[in-house]
Amino acid sequence: MRTGAAAGHVGYFHEAILYDSDEHLLAVVLPFLLGGVEAGEPTVVGLGGRNAELVRRALPAGTEVTFLPGGDVYARPTAAIRSYRKLLASYVADGARQIRIVGELPPPVLGATFDWWARYESAINHAYDDFPLWSMCAYDTRTAPARALAEVTRTHPRVALPDGSHAPTDDYTEPPTYLAEQRLMLPDPVQRTAPAVELTDPTPAEARDAVRAAHLGQLPADGVDDLVVSVSEVVSNALRHGVPPVRMRLWSTADRMVVTVCDGGPGPTDPYAGLLPAGNGAAGGLGLWISHQSCDHVALHRDADGFTIRLTAGNPHFPV
């Protein structure tokens, strides 16, 4: 039987914490964690170093809360989904009736790459809905960019408040609608310069050759190989499922390689394409899944002119 604000709820109970002080954060997090411990529920903290230590020191000694180590869990959205689903499944297998997790994204991903993390925050409303999960995602309103905070309330059905209440977010958008928009892509500054490569209707082999030829040594060998495979898959998808012409552009800089592939079609029909394993036969799903596994950032954009996917290998962060 589920407890707290999620009592009676079936599936994923997803909330944001929009905090403006340490006191605000603790006022929400401590009752959440202690309530889970009291109810005998798996209770997990996935906060960054400073906030994890803040919470650890505020908890009574001996409180049975699991603190997740830092590292690569937030390297890519697909990795985070895979890691958390494995964790949740293990708790359910052990008999958990509810699981409580409070976590936060690392500050660097709130900048230029937040578009795919916003898609993550939306997609997990579906990806985690087969688990009795109650989670809170913490965002510091003093430091998070306004554009990121605007997407937080669109991707979280509720906000947890320091007075103990749980308020619905007025602009929450259901995942299929939100993900279908694919409108968040910010232009990489290198896109203001002339591309090193510009091809129309390239074959996948031509696309692969172009990536290898443009490599300046800024990526490790496996990084180049991953980008080659990703570009090949994306070009194949565009040729097979898109509307011609298919245009590929490539930029190669000292710290990254950036490739865009555009066509005149609407893009994939599956709103979860790329973020969840492509097992439903959706057009183009496998190529997007591969690229999300392999690249350091994948951005999607749909507008009146068609559909664009941008792949970045190397440093994906740039000033915004």
Side-chain angles (χ1 to χ4, degrees):
M1 186 172 181
R2 300 182 71 165
T3 63
H9 185 80
V10 177
Y12 184 23
F13 196 83
H14 190 195
E15 297 190 294
I17 309 171
L18 300 174
Y19 67 96
D20 57 12
S21 67
D22 291 351
E23 293 75 19
H24 182 162
L25 179 64
L26 291 175
V28 179
V29 170
L30 292 181
F32 174 71
L33 298 177
L34 293 172
V37 172
E38 182 179 356
E41 299 166 355
T43 305
V44 179
V45 174
L47 299 171
R50 179 188 179 279
N51 282 341
E53 187 61 23
L54 181 72
V55 170
R56 193 191 303 271
R57 291 185 177 187
L59 286 169
T63 303
E64 294 186 1
V65 170
T66 299
F67 284 79
L68 296 178
D72 296 334
V73 66
Y74 291 118
R76 296 180 175 93
T78 49
I81 290 173
R82 191 166 57 248
S83 175
Y84 275 120
R85 282 189 59 87
K86 181 178 179 181
L87 178 67
L88 297 171
S90 70
Y91 283 134
V92 170
D94 288 339
R97 299 295 184 90
Q98 179 163 270
I99 304 150
R100 301 192 188 204
I101 300 178
V102 59
E104 64 182 347
L105 296 173
V109 310
L110 301 181
T113 63
F114 188 68
D115 54 309
W116 74 341
W117 287 105
R119 295 184 70 234
Y120 163 87
E121 288 279 33
S122 181
I124 60 176
N125 288 295
H126 168 75
Y128 300 161
D129 205 36
D130 48 347
F131 297 103
L133 173 62
W134 176 10
S135 84
M136 296 182 177
C137 305
Y139 286 88
D140 189 337
T141 61
R142 298 165 297 182
T143 57
R147 64 179 292 273
L149 294 174
E151 300 305 324
V152 170
T153 54
R154 296 192 65 219
T155 55
H156 292 73
R158 304 161 199 87
V159 174
L161 301 171
D163 64 2
S165 61
H166 305 266
T169 50
D170 294 335
D171 54 349
Y172 171 68
T173 306
E174 291 291 339
T177 300
Y178 181 90
L179 294 169
E181 294 177 0
Q182 296 171 346
R183 60 177 182 80
L184 297 173
M185 184 172 73
L186 294 175
D188 188 311
V190 302
Q191 293 178 262
R192 302 190 190 107
T193 66
V197 174
E198 189 162 8
L199 302 174
T200 300
D201 295 327
T203 66
E206 289 170 338
R208 293 192 295 269
D209 290 344
V211 173
R212 293 191 183 98
H215 181 232
L216 302 175
Q218 69 272 63
L219 303 178
D222 57 351
V224 179
D225 291 342
D226 285 345
L227 183 60
V228 165
V229 171
S230 297
V231 170
S232 180
E233 288 288 336
V234 167
V235 167
S236 295
N237 285 343
L239 293 170
R240 185 177 302 116
H241 304 294
V243 175
V246 173
R247 294 189 172 91
M248 172 185 161
R249 296 179 176 89
L250 182 153
W251 294 262
S252 189
T253 73
D255 65 350
R256 65 190 181 277
M257 296 181 72
V258 178
V259 180
T260 61
V261 178
C262 313
D263 72 83
T269 57
D270 179 4
Y272 304 104
L275 293 173
L276 300 180
N280 60 0
L286 180 59
L288 280 174
W289 171 247
I290 290 172
S291 66
H292 277 68
Q293 299 290 311
S294 304
C295 295
D296 295 299
H297 182 231
V298 179
L300 310 178
H301 183 72
R302 178 184 286 126
D303 58 24
D305 296 325
F307 178 74
T308 300
I309 179 169
R310 186 180 71 212
L311 310 174
T312 301
N315 176 23
H317 303 291
F318 54 83
V320 295

